Amino acid sequence: MRHSRLLKLILLVSMAGFMIPVGASAESLQEQPMAFGGKGITNVKQVAAGYASTLALKNDGTVWAWGGNLTTRLTTAAVQVPGLSDVESITYSSAYADTAAVVKKDGTAWMLGYLRYGTFDGVTYSSNNTLFTSVPKQIEGLQDVEDIQFGYNAAFALKKDGTVWAWGSNEYGELGNGQVKTLAAPALVAGLPPITAIHSDGITAFAIDKNGKLWYWGSPYWYYYQTGKQAVVTKPRLFDKLDHIKAISSSGSATLLLRSDGTVWSFGDNYGGVLGRSKDPLEGPIHLEQIPELQSIEELSCSYLQCLALDELDHVWVWGNNSYRQIGDGLQPHRFDHPVKLAHQQAVKVVSGFRTSFLIKKDGTLWGAGLNGEGQIGRGLLGAWGGEEGFGVPPYSYEPYSWGTFSVTKYEPVLEAPRVAVNGKQIAMWSMQIDGTVYASVRGIMEALGYRMTWNPTDKIAVALKDGKEFAFHTEETGGIYKNGQSIAVGKEVYNVRGELLAPVRELGSAFGWTTVWEPERYTIHVTE
C-alpha cells in the first residue's frame, strides 16, 4: 500500500546494473527495460571522444556533449555546450583527465574541462596545477588557429600559415624548441616546412608537411625498443622511411600512416592487435609494413585498443581488441588481428575513442558502440561501471547491450537530450525522455531558479532554499518531497542515480506551482516560476 503522501520518490536498487523501484519484482521487469526515447542527434559534422565523455560539432557551429560531462555533472544524452558558437573544429584529450579544445571560425582557440596547459585569464596552469571549468576559456597568445592537438602534458597548435606552436611540459623535448624547459605560452616550433596536419601519441609529436613528408620530435618509442633507453629529441627530425603521407593516427605506442594512394602502413607496439597483422607484440620501425586488406582508404582513426578506417565507398573497416564491444559487431569479446569490413555499416566519418567507437552517417546522424559506464555512448541509459550503479538497464545481456549495459555492443544512434529552458534561459543539465516523459536534473532546475542547494549526507536529504521557501528531497524509501514541511505529490517516479535526482519536469512543475510548456519544434521544455 502506498503512503498517503502519494509521492513516488523511489529509492532505486541495483541488480547488476538494473535500477528498479523498491517493491517491484525483478521478474515483472526483466522483459520491460525503460523506453529511452526522443530524437537522435542530427547535422553532426565532427565527433571527438574522450576518456569518459564525448563531444559533437554540428554544422551550425554549436557543440554538444554527453557522458561524464564537461558542462554539467553527468548526462546520458547529448546536451548543447553553453557559450560556444561559430566553432570550426573540436579536439579531445583523454590523457589522465578530460580536456577539450575548440577552434572558432575567427581562428581563436578555447578550452574547457581540465586546464592543464597554458595561461587563461592571467593564471598559468600545468599538470601540477589544474582547474576544471565548464565555461570555455580562450587560450591566450594564440590567433589564426587551424587545429589543436594534445599530448600527455603538452598542447600543439597548427596555424593557418602552416606554422606549429607548442606549450606545456617539455620533459621529453615534446615542444621541439631544442630545450626541456616547460613553457606556459605557445611558442613556435622552428625548423619545420609548411605543415598541413599535426598529431601526438602522448610524448611524441608529429607533423605532416605539404609534400607528404612526416616530421617528429619528443620521445619516439621506437628508440626505446631498439636501444632500451628513453630518447629525447628536442628538435624536429624527418621520418625518412615513408613518403606521400596523408594522415597519421596512433594507439599508445603504435603508429599507423595513411598514404595518399589510399594504403595504410603500421609499426610499433601491437598491443590489442592494432597493427592490423599477426606479429610479435613489440616491433620497431624496422618492421614498418603495409596492411594489405586496406585499399582506397579515405579516413583512419586509432585509439587505445582499436582502429577504424573508411574506404572510398564509405565502407567501415575495424580491427584490434573488442573487450569493451567497441568494434560494434555485436559479438562477444574477441580480437581482430586483421581488418574486417563491418556488415551493413556505412559512414562518412569514423572516430575511435577510448574504448568507444563512433560513426557519422551520410544523413548527419551519429552512432556509437563500446564502453557506456558514464553514458558516453549517448543512449540515455547508464551502464554499470567501476562499482557504480547502472540506470534503466537489465541485469542480463539484452541486445544490443551486454553485461547490464556495461557496454553497447552494436552501433546505436546517439540521442539528443530534450532542452530545458528555465525562466527563458536554456540550461545545460542531465535530461532525457523516459517512457515518453521528459525528465531533468532536480538540482539543475532548482539552481537555475536561484535556489541554494544543500545536502544532508546522514539523512540523505537534499534541500533547496530561496526567499523563505524550502523544498526538501528525501532520497530514502520512506522519504518524499516536502515544501515548507508539507508533503507534495508528484505522481511519477523520481529517480536517484549516483546522487543525482531526475524528476518528470511537467509533473514537478505542477506540484511546485511552476508553469511548464513543451515546445516540440525546438525539442524544449520551458519552466517558469
Side-chain angles (χ1 to χ4, degrees):
M1 182 174 180
R2 296 192 182 276
H3 296 284
S4 60
R5 55 186 167 81
L6 299 178
L7 175 70
K8 297 180 182 178
L9 177 60
I10 308 296
L11 173 67
L12 301 179
V13 297
S14 174
M15 294 180 54
F18 188 19
M19 304 299 292
I20 63 174
V22 169
S25 69
E27 291 78 10
S28 67
L29 291 171
Q30 276 193 342
E31 300 301 329
Q32 302 175 28
M34 288 177 179
F36 291 92
K39 65 176 185 178
I41 189 171
T42 57
N43 299 313
V44 177
K45 172 184 177 181
Q46 185 185 2
V47 61
Y51 179 82
S53 50
T54 312
L55 289 177
L57 172 63
K58 287 193 174 187
N59 289 317
D60 62 4
T62 59
V63 178
W64 298 68
W66 59 97
N69 217 310
L70 297 180
T71 58
T72 185
R73 283 165 291 276
L74 181 73
T75 67
T76 55
V79 299
Q80 186 175 347
V81 178
L84 283 179
S85 59
D86 296 320
V87 174
E88 185 67 26
S89 67
I90 55 177
T91 307
Y92 230 139
S93 168
S94 59
Y96 306 128
D98 278 321
T99 304
V102 304
V103 176
K104 291 192 174 184
K105 293 179 181 178
D106 63 3
T108 59
W110 301 68
M111 282 191 190
L112 68 160
Y114 285 95
L115 303 182
R116 301 170 56 246
Y117 328 79
T119 301
F120 305 84
D121 299 331
V123 179
T124 299
Y125 299 97
S126 67
S127 58
N128 297 320
N129 176 36
T130 64
L131 172 70
F132 181 85
T133 176
S134 60
V135 179
K137 292 183 178 293
Q138 186 175 352
I139 303 173
E140 296 179 7
L142 208 53
Q143 301 291 333
D144 300 318
V145 179
E146 182 79 21
D147 186 26
I148 296 285
Q149 294 291 320
F150 294 107
Y152 288 150
N153 291 304
F156 307 89
L158 173 62
K159 287 195 174 185
K160 295 177 180 179
D161 62 3
T163 59
V164 178
W165 298 67
W167 65 103
S169 172
N170 199 24
E171 181 180 358
Y172 301 105
E174 55 262 60
L175 301 188
N177 60 1
Q179 303 178 21
V180 290
K181 182 179 179 181
T182 296
L183 294 178
L188 176 68
V189 180
L192 288 171
I195 297 300
T196 60
I198 55 174
H199 178 73
S200 174
D201 67 7
I203 56 176
T204 309
F206 298 91
I208 301 173
D209 68 27
K210 65 179 183 179
N211 295 316
K213 295 185 181 297
L214 180 66
W215 299 77
Y216 67 91
W217 60 96
S219 185
Y221 54 84
W222 58 80
Y223 279 86
Y224 178 80
Y225 291 158
Q226 289 180 326
T227 67
K229 298 179 180 179
Q230 185 83 49
V232 177
V233 179
T234 61
K235 293 183 179 181
R237 292 182 183 177
L238 182 64
F239 183 84
D240 60 2
K241 298 185 180 296
L242 203 64
D243 56 9
H244 299 292
I245 296 171
K246 177 182 176 181
I248 179 172
S249 192
S250 59
S251 173
S253 53
T255 301
L256 290 93
L257 303 173
L258 172 61
R259 299 187 76 195
S260 56
D261 63 2
T263 60
V264 178
W265 299 65
S266 65
F267 63 98
D269 183 344
N270 198 33
Y271 180 73
V274 292
L275 294 184
R277 44 201 167 97
S278 301
K279 294 290 184 179
D280 294 333
L282 300 180
E283 303 182 61
I286 192 172
H287 297 287
L288 175 70
E289 293 181 13
Q290 182 182 348
I291 303 176
E293 292 86 352
L294 298 176
Q295 302 290 332
S296 302
I297 298 300
E298 297 286 341
E299 285 201 6
L300 176 67
S301 180
C302 293
S303 148
Y304 174 57
L305 291 172
Q306 80 283 355
C307 294
L308 283 76
L310 189 67
D311 68 23
E312 63 180 3
L313 298 178
D314 296 337
H315 295 139
V316 179
W317 295 77
V318 295
W319 65 100
N321 189 301
N322 193 38
S323 58
Y324 297 92
R325 312 305 207 276
Q326 69 273 29
I327 292 295
D329 61 355
L331 301 179
Q332 295 299 311
H334 56 286
R335 167 174 161 165
F336 289 117
D337 281 314
H338 296 270
V340 296
K341 184 169 63 175
L342 280 182
H344 313 298
Q345 290 291 357
Q346 287 187 296
V348 294
K349 287 186 180 296
V350 294
V351 171
S352 180
F354 186 84
R355 301 171 181 170
T356 59
S357 298
F358 292 91
L359 311 177
I360 300 177
K361 298 203 171 183
K362 188 174 293 186
D363 61 1
T365 58
L366 178 64
W367 298 60
L371 180 63
N372 194 47
E374 297 293 334
Q376 58 265 55
I377 300 300
R379 290 292 298 154
L381 45 80
L382 190 65
W385 165 247
E388 298 279 10
E389 295 174 330
F391 178 59
V393 297
Y396 51 87
S397 182
Y398 182 92
E399 290 298 335
Y401 313 112
S402 66
W403 316 341
T405 67
F406 175 77
S407 295
V408 177
T409 67
K410 297 179 181 178
Y411 287 99
E412 292 286 308
V414 173
L415 297 179
E416 184 175 310
R419 303 179 189 185
V420 181
V422 180
N423 285 342
K425 182 180 180 182
Q426 185 177 327
I427 306 297
M429 67 178 73
W430 190 354
S431 60
M432 67 180 72
Q433 278 190 304
I434 303 176
D435 298 327
T437 297
V438 175
Y439 278 70
S441 163
V442 171
R443 176 185 289 271
I445 294 174
M446 302 304 288
E447 289 181 341
L449 288 171
Y451 285 83
R452 180 172 61 88
M453 296 293 296
T454 63
W455 171 250
N456 180 336
T458 303
D459 298 324
K460 294 184 172 58
I461 300 174
V463 178
L465 302 167
K466 185 180 78 169
D467 300 333
K469 291 183 288 186
E470 176 184 292
F471 292 98
F473 302 87
H474 297 236
T475 61
E476 292 291 358
E477 179 181 6
T478 57
I481 297 180
Y482 297 84
K483 178 180 180 181
N484 297 330
Q486 299 297 314
S487 175
I488 297 177
V490 173
K492 288 189 177 181
E493 284 86 353
V494 177
Y495 296 103
N496 175 15
V497 188
R498 299 188 188 175
E500 189 84 36
L501 296 180
L502 295 176
V505 178
R506 189 184 295 273
E507 288 76 7
L508 192 68
S510 177
F512 285 10
W514 304 335
T515 299
T516 58
V517 177
W518 173 247
E519 186 183 2
E521 296 80 8
R522 298 188 62 241
Y523 199 50
T524 301
I525 191 162
H526 296 267
V527 179
T528 306
E529 186 180 31

